Amino acid sequence: LRNFCYTVAANAQFLEAKHFLQSSLSSLVNSVKSWVENFRGRPGAASYQEMEELSGALDNLCAGMASIINDTKTSSAETFQEQLCLLMDNRNEPWEEAAKVQSSSWTRWHWTQYNAWCINNGTHSTKGRPLTRWNSLLIWKMRQEEDFPWTLIEEEIPGYFKTLEESFREETSKVRTIASQYGNAPTFSQGIALRIEDLKYILTVIQRNFLKEFTVIRRNASDDNRNSYVLRAMLPSYRSASQEYGSGKMARQHETIRCRIANGNLFPIISFSIQQDMTALIDKTFKDIQEKVQGVLNLIRADLEIVFSQMAAVKDEAKEELASRVGYFEEELENVLGRIPMSSI
């Protein structure tokens, strides 16, 4: 187990370092190369018209990606609504009836056992009764009916991120096509290709985090654990029942638990909590995507400004030295990248 845990951590670190070398550092070197080309005065200096055309294409790229991200967010929210929310809204009563049947059998337990389960929030075992999870039994029907919709939603998630990646690649290709028309911007076009790889990795990380949080929400909706939605809904009743004392204690405990299950609010509350957490997850994820994409687009625009900036031909020893070493940086980076295995650890 220790070796496995070390491997997981090492693999994540390896992928992060690999991304830094292949995308982040390579993009930086490429930007410096663009600056050097401009500093040394490339033949065929960029015209104002070229700058305007590429800048306009970049504006269209920003607007297009913002629209695509918003459309993808809407699509993911609609999938969740159609696959799960409608089911939860329409099946609350049958789930409640199934929960009533389960809970009615507990009232035949000895009062000491019933009291022990209330004290332990519905999950307990004694010498005379094996481990029984009330909360899990209360949602057995809901869990069974929701299993397939949860799976369908999970299977759709990679497709959303694939759509974003392909859209970004397609939209940036338009800018690269315009840049390729001018012989003075080959490095800029290469820089866009590196930024695409950068965003691809960023989307992979966001997707992985989204799936992790999605799995947590699904587990809390389907299982009986300390963070489960059913326990959160039942906890006040367990605490109230466990505080009963004196004559008629057992009857009052039965009534407290029965009312919580049969008052028509248990499953709507669970459903609302699930919808609230999933909506928050979708909002947070796509806000993060928008910020990351905008960050990459800002870097592309910065590269464009470097390529078409007007530099005065002023002698500067520090700049000359940096310019002379760019080729060395490129060669060293290629050597390092050549030693990185294609597959992860």
Side-chain angles (χ1 to χ4, degrees):
L1 177 60
R2 184 183 296 110
N3 289 336
F4 171 75
C5 292
Y6 286 155
T7 301
V8 171
N11 186 55
Q13 292 171 351
F14 171 80
L15 292 176
E16 188 67 32
K18 184 178 179 181
H19 164 255
F20 175 77
L21 291 171
Q22 289 183 332
S23 298
S24 302
L25 188 56
S26 295
S27 295
L28 176 60
V29 171
N30 192 79
S31 297
V32 174
K33 184 178 177 181
S34 295
W35 176 86
V36 168
E37 289 175 350
N38 195 7
F39 170 70
R40 285 180 168 171
R42 296 180 309 273
S47 69
Y48 179 78
Q49 180 181 354
E50 294 172 8
M51 174 67 176
E52 283 294 296
E53 186 174 1
L54 279 168
S55 182
L58 209 55
D59 290 339
N60 292 335
L61 171 61
C62 293
M65 284 307 302
S67 177
I68 291 168
I69 291 170
N70 187 62
D71 289 345
T72 307
K73 175 185 175 182
T74 301
S75 179
S76 65
E78 287 176 350
T79 298
F80 173 64
Q81 177 71 27
E82 293 169 1
Q83 295 293 344
L84 203 59
C85 293
L86 292 178
L87 174 68
M88 291 189 290
D89 291 342
N90 294 327
R91 296 294 294 169
N92 283 322
E93 290 185 9
W95 294 342
E96 181 180 304
E97 289 301 318
K100 288 179 186 177
V101 172
Q102 285 290 336
S103 62
S104 64
S105 64
W106 306 332
T107 59
R108 294 190 291 271
W109 291 12
H110 191 272
W111 74 268
T112 56
Q113 292 178 333
Y114 196 94
N115 182 63
W117 260 255
C118 291
I119 292 173
N120 289 280
N121 300 327
T123 300
H124 192 50
S125 64
T126 64
K127 291 182 178 180
R129 191 171 292 277
L131 178 64
T132 305
R133 300 179 182 276
W134 282 3
N135 301 309
S136 180
L137 293 171
L138 288 174
I139 61 170
W140 75 267
K141 191 172 184 62
M142 183 188 80
R143 176 173 58 248
Q144 186 180 72
E145 294 184 8
E146 285 186 346
D147 184 61
F148 184 61
W150 277 117
T151 301
L152 287 178
I153 295 171
E154 186 171 2
E155 290 175 349
E156 292 285 337
I157 292 172
Y160 299 134
F161 289 89
K162 188 67 175 176
T163 297
L164 290 172
E165 180 192 334
E166 292 176 349
S167 298
F168 187 77
R169 193 179 298 275
E170 180 180 345
E171 293 294 318
T172 51
S173 69
K174 299 174 185 177
V175 181
R176 294 184 70 187
T177 299
I178 296 174
S180 66
Q181 297 174 4
Y182 308 117
N184 56 4
T187 308
F188 173 66
S189 182
Q190 175 62 23
I192 293 178
L194 292 171
R195 300 300 182 191
I196 291 173
E197 293 304 311
D198 190 22
L199 184 65
K200 179 180 178 181
Y201 176 79
I202 290 171
L203 289 175
T204 299
V205 173
I206 295 176
Q207 177 183 340
R208 185 164 60 241
N209 293 335
F210 182 88
L211 282 169
K212 285 181 181 178
E213 295 189 43
F214 174 87
T215 301
V216 170
I217 293 174
R218 179 178 182 177
R219 183 170 60 244
N220 291 341
S222 306
D223 296 344
D224 173 24
N225 58 63
R226 292 184 178 182
N227 296 312
S228 65
Y229 296 108
V230 62
L231 177 57
R232 293 184 212 172
M234 290 295 299
L235 196 56
S237 297
Y238 288 140
R239 289 176 176 171
S240 177
S242 63
Q243 292 171 1
E244 293 288 351
Y245 64 92
S247 178
K249 170 181 176 178
M250 183 177 69
R252 290 193 299 273
Q253 285 182 326
H254 289 177
E255 185 63 13
T256 298
I257 300 301
R258 187 196 68 78
C259 287
R260 185 68 193 93
I261 295 170
N263 67 359
N265 289 329
L266 177 60
F267 288 96
I269 287 175
I270 293 173
S271 299
F272 176 77
S273 297
I274 294 171
Q275 294 179 43
Q276 193 175 42
D277 286 352
M278 274 300 300
T279 299
L281 175 59
I282 292 171
D283 289 344
K284 169 178 165 293
T285 298
F286 281 91
K287 179 182 178 182
D288 192 21
I289 290 173
Q290 181 63 62
E291 291 175 353
K292 297 296 185 183
V293 169
Q294 189 59 52
V296 172
L297 293 174
N298 289 342
L299 291 173
I300 293 176
R301 188 176 293 279
D303 286 343
L304 178 65
E305 292 173 356
I306 290 173
V307 170
F308 291 104
S309 61
Q310 299 298 321
M311 278 193 182
V314 179
K315 292 292 183 181
D316 187 314
E317 292 183 3
K319 291 180 179 179
E320 286 288 356
E321 182 180 358
L322 177 60
S324 65
R325 292 179 63 84
V326 170
Y328 170 76
F329 292 153
E330 281 190 294
E331 184 177 341
E332 284 298 302
L333 182 57
E334 287 179 6
N335 290 335
V336 172
L337 292 175
R339 295 196 297 269
I340 297 177
M342 294 301 294
S343 60
S344 61
I345 295 174

